[in-house]
Amino acid sequence: MHCPLCKNTILDKKSTTTGVELDNCKRCGSVFLDRGEIFLHLPSKQVSAFDKAIEVSVKNKEKSGYSSPKTGKEMYNLTEFPIQSSQFFVDDERNILATEKGINELKENSSFSLDWAETSAPATRYIKALPNLVLSSTITFGALYGLVALALITISLVFEADQSTSGEDGIFVGGSLLAISFVITLIGFLLGPFIMDLQLRWLFTIEWLEPNQLPKALEVYLKETSNKQNINIPYMGVINDMAPNAFTYGHTPNNARIVITKGLFELLDDDELNSVVGHEIGHAVHWDILLMSFAQMVPIFFYYIYRACIEAAQKASKAGKDGAKAAPPFIIVAIGAYVVYIIAQYLVLYFSRVREYYADRFGAESVGSAAALSGALVKIAYGLAGRRDAESRSEDENKSTINSIGALGISNAESGQML
């Protein structure tokens, strides 16, 4: 692409300290930002104001005299921008051209942050190191099931304190609750994918496509990545919904289902779409579906203890004076179980977040571009935010039931939050 300002100067890819690549003109210093990329460098509180300015400018179509290097069509002045409109231009696809002067003025007048990475510095300098996946997983599982062991010991001691029962009774009760949690988790894991298949067919218009029915770039990416990871090509489903989203579910890497919406095809370019699909393949390759199932079993176990102790305390209270004396220990254990339930939930959230980071890294490395995934995430969040605004204006237009799906996904469709 050529710089619209300098005409014949080619725009070069240049990395920022956030790991995003932008098109930069070495001669005049102008920057061309693809749709949504400007929001990577803005605080969330300023996004809506800039979004409104872009929408107004595209609607007013005040010609700038410059052509978009991406579409070749006329660019328009950003007439409602916080600084001089002659420094920023937008095309019909919401791509933005910013002059060097405009970038500097925007930095001075807002919290806009755009800093170039040092060309001599290693690419990983600006990327935060991730916790070791195996070590963090081992520690988290050790902490979670250490809490389970502590709970079983505590329950046995509570029963020993009751003259009418013994510690063996407590171990039996605690073991029974743990077994119930395990069985429920196992059943959910085994039947979950099939239930999800039915749910998708019931709630959405979904097509399960063969690789050769997908865009060529995605077909090639799926085959190469699956071959490199020595797994089967994931089943690919496409939902007829314009809310941009993607998620995966299944049992193992070899029977993973990856579902994307049509909104992604409209919003993302080839590398960005591949990186989003790569994120989901990363979940499958790292066995996140199985591990998350058994990590989530622990909070379920403590919630069962909480409910069982509350019910036991209520029954004891109704059993007269002797029963009333037995109720306080159950109440204490119930309170403790609920506190540990909250702690276990946070441990699972930490476990989930680490695995999301590794899925992100897998997606970026598999396409050879961190910028592709960064751009995709911003565009997805931008698209979801726009969809929420549209739904708030009209309850009958653009409604999506994607929020009802719970799986390992690229985003929270309800909040627009990236996972």
Side-chain angles (χ1 to χ4, degrees):
M1 296 190 299
H2 290 83
C3 175
L5 305 180
C6 300
K7 304 301 182 184
N8 295 323
T9 306
I10 296 177
L11 293 171
D12 294 323
K13 292 287 186 183
K14 192 173 180 181
S15 295
T16 66
T17 54
T18 56
V20 179
E21 286 184 341
L22 300 177
D23 298 296
N24 175 245
C25 178
K26 291 182 178 179
R27 184 176 178 184
C28 69
S30 62
V31 181
F32 184 76
L33 302 104
D34 289 336
R35 178 175 179 171
E37 284 185 338
I38 194 167
F39 300 114
L40 280 168
H41 309 281
L42 284 168
S44 57
K45 62 182 179 181
Q46 294 183 350
V47 168
S48 59
F50 279 72
D51 186 33
K52 181 179 178 182
I54 291 171
E55 293 296 328
V56 170
S57 298
V58 172
K59 182 179 180 180
N60 292 341
K61 298 186 183 300
E62 183 180 311
K63 295 183 178 181
S64 66
Y66 300 115
S67 298
S68 170
K70 190 168 186 177
T71 66
K73 297 181 180 179
E74 183 77 34
M75 299 196 81
Y76 315 116
N77 290 318
L78 279 171
T79 52
E80 292 195 5
F81 227 44
I83 59 177
Q84 297 180 26
S85 61
S86 60
Q87 305 301 322
F88 289 84
F89 315 98
V90 62
D91 63 20
D92 286 319
E93 292 186 4
R94 277 62 171 175
N95 304 307
I96 292 175
L97 175 68
T99 66
E100 185 175 31
K101 180 181 177 182
I103 292 290
N104 292 333
E105 289 183 2
L106 190 56
K107 286 182 178 180
E108 294 174 2
N109 292 278
S110 72
S111 299
F112 188 76
S113 174
L114 193 161
D115 297 302
W116 300 112
E118 297 177 23
T119 55
S120 59
T124 56
R125 172 174 174 175
Y126 302 101
I127 301 176
K128 293 182 178 179
L130 295 181
N132 181 278
L133 186 60
V134 174
L135 180 61
S136 63
S137 300
T138 302
I139 292 175
T140 305
F141 265 88
L144 286 170
Y145 284 91
L147 290 173
V148 171
L150 182 63
L152 294 176
I153 294 171
T154 303
I155 291 173
S156 68
L157 292 176
V158 169
F159 273 76
E160 276 188 356
D162 186 348
Q163 296 179 355
S164 63
T165 59
S166 67
E168 286 76 9
D169 295 325
I171 291 292
F172 175 77
V173 172
S176 299
L177 293 173
L178 183 61
I180 291 171
S181 302
F182 176 81
V183 170
I184 290 175
T185 300
L186 185 62
I187 291 174
F189 174 73
L190 294 176
L191 299 183
F194 304 110
I195 294 172
M196 183 71 79
D197 289 342
L198 295 174
Q199 188 178 7
L200 288 172
R201 290 191 181 94
W202 180 45
L203 292 175
F204 304 103
T205 302
I206 183 171
E207 292 181 271
W208 292 99
L209 304 179
E210 295 296 326
N212 60 9
Q213 295 176 290
L214 297 166
K216 188 63 180 179
L218 181 56
E219 176 191 358
V220 172
Y221 171 78
L222 282 171
K223 290 179 178 178
E224 290 181 349
T225 304
S226 299
N227 182 61
K228 186 176 180 180
Q229 297 297 323
N230 196 29
I231 62 173
N232 296 333
I233 297 175
Y235 302 103
M236 291 296 302
V238 178
I239 292 177
N240 186 23
D241 192 298
M242 297 313 293
N245 213 333
F247 55 90
T248 185
Y249 62 98
H251 295 122
T252 71
N254 284 319
N255 77 343
R257 286 89 148 161
I258 295 176
V259 179
I260 57 179
T261 60
K262 282 191 175 180
L264 291 181
F265 291 110
E266 178 182 298
L267 203 60
L268 307 181
D269 62 28
D270 289 344
D271 279 348
E272 291 170 343
L273 179 60
N274 290 348
S275 68
V276 168
V277 173
H279 172 101
E280 304 306 336
I281 293 176
H283 280 308
V285 168
H286 297 146
W287 289 79
D288 291 347
I289 303 168
L290 174 64
L291 294 176
M292 282 300 300
S293 295
F294 285 94
Q296 290 170 336
M297 185 184 86
V298 176
I300 293 173
F301 168 66
F302 282 104
Y303 188 76
Y304 282 155
I305 291 179
Y306 161 72
R307 291 302 308 168
C309 288
I310 289 293
E311 291 175 6
Q314 290 174 342
K315 289 179 180 178
S317 298
K318 296 176 181 178
K321 292 183 179 181
D322 293 335
K325 292 179 181 179
F330 285 112
I331 294 174
I332 293 172
V333 172
I335 294 172
Y338 193 79
V339 170
V340 178
Y341 161 74
I342 299 297
I343 294 172
Q345 287 279 44
Y346 278 102
L347 286 171
V348 171
L349 287 173
Y350 165 77
F351 183 71
S352 172
R353 178 55 56 188
V354 170
R355 306 197 81 81
E356 287 293 338
Y357 287 149
Y358 271 90
D360 283 344
R361 176 163 290 183
F362 184 94
E365 289 180 346
S366 63
V367 299
S369 173
L373 182 61
S374 298
L377 293 176
V378 169
K379 288 179 181 180
I380 291 170
Y382 181 51
L384 287 169
R387 189 175 188 84
R388 289 201 314 275
D389 291 341
E391 289 176 356
S392 67
R393 290 191 296 268
S394 173
E395 292 184 354
D396 298 323
E397 296 178 3
N398 298 321
K399 278 197 173 180
S400 170
T401 52
I402 198 72
N403 299 343
S404 62
I405 295 297
L408 290 172
I410 196 75
S411 71
N412 180 324
E414 186 174 0
S415 67
Q417 180 182 3
M418 295 301 103
L419 300 179

